[in-house]
Amino acid sequence: MAGHIISIIGGKGGVGKSQVAANLAIAYAGELRSKTLLMDFDQKACGDQNIITGLKSKKNLKELSEFSGALDPRSIQLFTADHKAGISFIGMPTEAIAAGQINEEGLGKALKAIVNIYPLTIIDAGSELTPLALKALEYSTLIFLVASPDLLAVNQCKRMYTDLVTMLFPKDMIQILVNQAVNGHPVSPDVIGKQIGKPVFHAIPRDDASCIAALSRSTPVIVGAKGSPFGAGVTDCARKLIQKNVLKTLEKLAKPQDTKNQSQPGAKNGEAPSEDRKKDQWTELKSRIHKALVEEMDLKKQDDNDPKAKIILREQTKKMVVELLGKEDTKNILPTRDDMNRIVKEILDEALGLGPLEDMLADKTISEIMVVGPKKIYYEQSGKVKKSEITFTNDRQVMNVIERIVAPIGRRIDEKTPYVDARLPDGSRVHAIIPPCAIDGCCITIRKFPDKRLNYKDMVKYGSMTEEMADFLRISVEAHRNLVVSGGTGSGKTTLVNMLGGFIQSNERIITCEDSAELNFPQDHVVRLETRPPSLEGDGEIDIRCLVKQTLRMRPDRIVVGECRGGETLDMLQAMNTGHDGSMTTVHSNTPRDAISRLETLVQYAGAGLPQKAIKEMIASAVHMIIQQSRLDDGSRKVLYITEIGGIQGDVVTLQDIFVYKQEGIGKDGKIQGKFMATGFIPKFIETLERKGYKIPRGIFTNKT
């Protein structure tokens, strides 16, 4: 039969928990007439147990944590020192540096073996929840939290009790032990119990004379003065534990049994329930807790701009979730502490954050998240779309996430306007659409904003372009060429515009216009404008076209439009044609030739009634270059064309490729193979720049052999 571990921890130093631990180990050994192990885990007061017990172990706790052999009744003797009173002892290193180097995981393995060697192990866990102390508590059957009749000690004990409960240690596992109790003292055990919120398990009388005398002789009190008030109090505590069978009762609570072979709803003849049934039980439990949480707390009363308020609310909510789970029968659904931790996190994320999307948003390798109803979440990682095993509880939870995203930025979504464009605080772009337009439930698409803004070196490193292409694009931006970045959805157009924006001189005034702000230029003098949807009354809408017109009154050197998709294209082309050279925008199209056709179509959305020839002449005059960006079948993003617009001949806008990407095949790893090539054509503006005195290396327009 496996033994038990009792960890003894103090709310603060000075409450006598080390003497309690040592004497309780001896008292327990005497009552059961069996060997008990005492271990010193107190890193702050390293070596105190050596003085209290008068023992020095053969090897210390650090050496035990590094022991790679198998622990058994014989090998454990290499570490322990034995006391005639029936205990074995393993001490803490007496040097603070060595004490701080203990391997917690190695010690966890040792504790796992020790319970099979000793019927009882008592650990002096210190007065702080260090990683080492938490490792002891993790393997414990019972935690004794020691307090003294001192208001400060009681307050710290209450704090530690709350921390332990919040960290999902069952309340029944934590028992309050009062040391130095004095009859008639205002801070009585009953008062301490009420203050902490849990009845006191046992009180040990104050006995300074016996404790001081024992310390001076390096002999435990219970050995030299068993009949003293302190000795008798500790002995009574040991007897109470044994007679009430406390450890046997707590064993099931602290270490939930494996539920694989238990008969549960959905299982037949003792068989394990199906995975679907487990998921259903998990989802039902989350729904009940979330509903109760909404009834208990007003989760909407949070200041989104105050990080401290968010932390406080999350801690308060976490305590409430733990309390609500404590009222549920979760033995079958949450067999391990890891399961408990996971469900608490999921409930908190759904109540205060973006639910199952929180972990994906934190994962830097994920670039896009796509939600299709509550049960299907997809994400893009390394250019490939994958399905997540995590799901929402129900469609209401998806709707809550959408509302939590759009509310802080003044957007709205309802049946009248069942779609919305928004952004997260970190700049990630969000699009949401709900029923009746979305048939299978609420849909969310999040284009994550990168933590690190990619520069041209990153683009070259990732194989999106060559060094020569990057040099040419830098020259083009510095020479105030008007650029249109063309590509499909998710091809990397915005990332490329961000990179091109980095080439703009720092003394220029840049104004950006976007539906949802994504552009992030490194310059200081940048004015960022964003559209606004109509109000509930249907007025107050500000679209991109309106913003582009406003920029012309704001003394811009460069105008950057996030994407041209309507009548604003006409205003953008006119701005490019009237003294705002060096402007940029993006359009959706598959080739540079398609981009010209797309611009022609978009200009007509303005309703100006311009003839086709005039529109083509305007495009040929305003746009200097088209950069075609594409996402290939293997998920990689590359610049396929850098093309100069040469003018117009008849009714055709002339195009001349400067750089192209030539695909040559697919490798064994599924990656597309190919190479970037210069066509040998030298753009007209290069010659103009050279006449002005600029030195442009002609080598960038030739292919390396």
Side-chain angles (χ1 to χ4, degrees):
M1 180 184 289
H4 301 284
I5 295 176
I6 299 176
S7 285
I8 298 180
I9 192 164
K12 65 186 286 291
V15 296
K17 50 88 192 163
S18 295
Q19 275 201 326
V20 170
N23 285 278
L24 185 61
I26 294 173
Y28 211 102
E31 293 298 317
L32 282 184
R33 300 187 183 281
S34 62
K35 204 79 165 178
T36 300
L37 177 65
L38 173 65
M39 302 181 78
D40 185 3
F41 275 47
D42 191 345
Q43 290 170 296
K44 193 172 182 180
C46 47
D48 279 8
Q49 283 293 357
N50 296 25
I51 298 171
I52 294 169
T53 59
L55 299 172
K56 184 178 181 181
S57 56
K58 297 169 188 173
K59 292 186 178 182
N60 59 43
L61 210 65
K62 180 176 183 293
E63 293 167 307
L64 177 64
S65 73
E66 296 167 351
F67 183 63
S68 57
L71 279 178
D72 52 38
R74 178 173 293 180
S75 61
I76 195 72
Q77 293 177 9
L78 299 172
F79 298 88
T80 60
D82 293 330
H83 196 283
K84 62 182 181 181
I87 67 166
S88 297
F89 171 66
I90 302 177
M92 174 70 64
T94 53
E95 295 180 359
I97 295 175
Q101 294 174 341
I102 293 175
N103 178 2
E104 293 92 4
E105 295 304 319
L107 214 50
K109 293 178 182 177
L111 291 175
K112 200 171 183 179
I114 281 169
V115 294
N116 295 314
I117 302 172
Y118 294 92
L120 182 73
T121 300
I122 289 185
I123 296 176
D124 176 2
S127 54
E128 295 177 4
L129 293 177
T130 62
L132 188 61
L134 289 172
K135 184 58 67 175
L137 303 186
E138 183 182 332
Y139 286 89
S140 297
T141 304
L142 170 65
I143 301 170
F144 266 140
L145 189 50
V146 181
S148 61
D150 166 30
L151 289 177
L152 291 177
V154 173
N155 185 56
Q156 291 302 315
C157 192
K158 179 182 179 182
R159 174 192 58 79
M160 185 165 284
Y161 176 70
T162 303
D163 288 344
L164 290 171
V165 172
T166 304
M167 294 166 71
L168 309 176
F169 288 98
K171 289 183 179 180
D172 290 344
M173 180 183 176
I174 310 162
Q175 296 295 328
I176 308 301
L177 194 61
V178 175
N179 189 29
Q180 304 172 6
V182 179
N183 287 333
H185 195 284
V187 186
S188 65
D190 287 341
V191 171
I192 292 173
K194 288 178 182 177
Q195 187 72 19
I196 294 173
K198 185 174 183 67
V200 170
F201 177 82
H202 188 71
I204 300 171
R206 183 166 187 164
D207 186 4
D208 292 343
S210 299
C211 291
I212 292 170
L215 280 175
S216 65
R217 297 193 302 267
S218 289
T219 303
V221 176
I222 208 162
V223 173
K226 185 175 182 180
S228 65
F230 180 85
V234 172
T235 302
D236 288 344
C237 181
R239 287 172 179 168
K240 192 173 182 179
L241 285 171
I242 296 167
Q243 291 169 4
K244 292 194 173 184
N245 218 4
V246 173
L247 296 177
K248 192 69 176 175
T249 304
L250 294 180
E251 183 180 33
K252 297 176 183 177
L253 175 69
K255 299 174 184 178
Q257 295 177 352
D258 187 8
T259 57
K260 287 182 181 177
N261 297 318
Q262 293 181 4
S263 179
Q264 300 176 6
K268 295 179 181 179
N269 302 323
E271 294 178 1
S274 67
E275 286 298 318
D276 288 342
R277 179 57 187 157
K278 286 181 180 179
K279 288 181 180 178
D280 289 343
Q281 290 177 328
W282 184 279
T283 302
E284 289 165 7
L285 177 60
K286 278 172 59 179
S287 296
R288 289 197 301 272
I289 298 298
H290 193 276
K291 184 178 179 182
L293 190 63
V294 171
E295 292 173 355
E296 294 283 344
M297 298 182 69
D298 185 359
L299 300 175
K300 293 184 179 179
K301 282 188 176 179
Q302 57 173 316
D303 185 355
D304 292 306
N305 297 318
D306 187 350
K308 290 184 180 178
K310 282 185 174 182
I311 294 170
I312 292 170
L313 180 64
R314 189 173 181 89
E315 286 303 314
Q316 291 174 343
T317 310
K318 186 176 181 180
K319 291 176 185 177
M320 182 60 68
V321 170
V322 172
E323 286 183 16
L324 292 170
L325 282 169
K327 298 174 184 177
E328 294 271 349
D329 181 12
T330 60
K331 184 174 68 174
N332 293 337
I333 307 171
L334 309 174
T336 67
R337 186 164 291 138
D338 286 341
D339 290 325
M340 179 71 89
N341 276 318
R342 187 158 67 91
I343 199 166
V344 169
K345 182 183 183 302
E346 287 184 13
I347 294 169
L348 285 174
D349 286 343
E350 287 189 6
L352 302 175
L354 303 185
L357 306 185
E358 287 285 341
D359 289 337
M360 294 185 188
L361 288 168
D363 189 340
K364 298 184 188 306
T365 64
I366 293 176
S367 57
E368 195 145 5
I369 302 166
M370 296 150 279
V371 178
V372 185
K375 300 303 179 185
K376 290 187 284 186
I377 302 177
Y378 298 88
Y379 60 93
E380 182 183 297
Q381 193 172 42
S382 303
K384 295 292 185 181
V385 175
K386 305 173 184 177
K387 186 176 182 180
S388 171
E389 294 181 0
I390 302 170
T391 62
F392 282 92
T393 305
N394 50 47
D395 215 31
R396 180 65 247 177
Q397 295 297 335
V398 189
M399 191 65 193
N400 287 344
V401 166
I402 296 172
E403 290 173 349
R404 193 166 284 123
I405 291 170
V406 303
I409 58 172
R411 303 286 169 109
R412 63 184 179 83
I413 187 168
D414 49 39
E415 287 190 5
K416 186 178 179 182
T417 312
Y419 51 86
V420 69
D421 283 306
R423 69 176 186 279
L424 297 178
D426 67 355
S428 298
R429 190 180 75 190
V430 181
H431 177 269
I433 186 165
I434 64 173
C437 290
I439 297 171
D440 297 323
C442 302
C443 296
I444 309 172
T445 308
I446 301 177
R447 177 80 53 78
K448 284 177 63 179
F449 194 79
D451 291 336
K452 177 180 175 288
R453 193 177 64 85
L454 297 182
N455 56 34
Y456 76 93
K457 291 181 180 178
D458 297 315
M459 304 283 273
V460 172
K461 176 184 172 184
Y462 296 143
S464 295
M465 63 178 69
T466 63
E467 192 83 42
E468 290 76 17
M469 294 165 71
D471 287 339
F472 172 67
L473 290 175
R474 187 187 72 253
I475 292 167
S476 302
V477 172
E478 291 177 355
H480 285 256
R481 298 291 89 186
N482 292 324
L483 308 180
V484 171
V485 177
S486 166
T489 300
S491 61
K493 297 188 299 298
T494 304
T495 302
L496 183 55
V497 171
N498 265 324
M499 185 210 82
L500 295 172
F503 294 142
I504 298 173
Q505 292 90 328
S506 59
N507 62 345
E508 296 192 41
R509 177 176 168 86
I510 308 166
I511 302 179
T512 67
C513 307
E514 301 173 84
D515 275 324
S516 55
E518 293 180 89
L519 297 175
N520 179 29
F521 293 162
Q523 293 83 354
D524 185 52
H525 197 167
V526 180
V527 180
R528 303 171 74 204
L529 305 180
E530 188 178 53
T531 61
R532 189 180 75 179
S535 65
L536 287 170
E537 293 76 26
D539 53 16
E541 180 180 11
I542 299 172
D543 59 14
I544 283 279
R545 188 168 190 190
C546 177
L547 293 180
V548 173
K549 289 178 180 177
Q550 300 310 308
T551 63
L552 301 177
R553 301 179 179 89
M554 298 172 67
R555 200 257 176 222
D557 288 313
R558 309 257 188 167
I559 300 172
V560 182
V561 176
E563 182 182 342
C564 281
R565 57 163 70 93
E568 67 274 3
T569 308
L570 175 60
D571 301 295
M572 184 71 198
L573 293 174
Q574 286 180 324
M576 289 177 170
N577 259 329
T578 54
H580 298 97
D581 284 344
S583 297
M584 304 177 208
T585 189
T586 68
V587 295
H588 279 266
S589 56
N590 295 325
T591 66
R593 177 62 63 188
D594 289 343
I596 298 295
S597 301
R598 173 80 170 150
L599 289 172
E600 291 177 28
T601 304
L602 293 175
V603 167
Q604 293 173 352
Y605 285 6
L610 295 174
Q612 198 77 19
K613 181 76 178 288
I615 294 174
K616 289 183 178 180
E617 288 175 349
M618 182 186 296
I619 294 171
S621 174
V623 181
H624 298 130
M625 283 202 309
I626 296 174
I627 305 165
Q628 182 67 42
Q629 174 95 0
S630 292
R631 180 175 60 180
L632 304 184
D633 292 340
D634 62 354
S636 63
R637 294 166 171 85
K638 297 186 186 298
V639 175
L640 298 189
Y641 299 94
I642 298 178
T643 303
E644 184 182 39
I645 295 180
I648 188 167
Q649 290 184 354
D651 289 335
V652 179
V653 177
T654 60
L655 302 176
Q656 181 61 57
D657 295 334
I658 303 167
F659 292 96
V660 297
Y661 177 76
K662 184 178 180 182
Q663 184 174 333
E664 297 175 335
I666 299 177
K668 294 180 180 179
D669 57 357
K671 295 289 185 182
I672 289 177
Q673 296 177 334
K675 60 183 178 181
F676 294 99
M677 300 178 63
T679 62
F681 176 81
I682 298 175
K684 296 175 183 177
F685 78 92
I686 294 294
E687 296 175 359
T688 305
L689 288 177
E690 287 176 337
R691 285 196 296 269
K692 291 181 180 179
Y694 290 93
K695 292 183 179 179
I696 311 296
R698 293 295 182 101
I700 64 176
F701 302 111
T702 59
N703 294 311
K704 293 181 179 179
T705 56

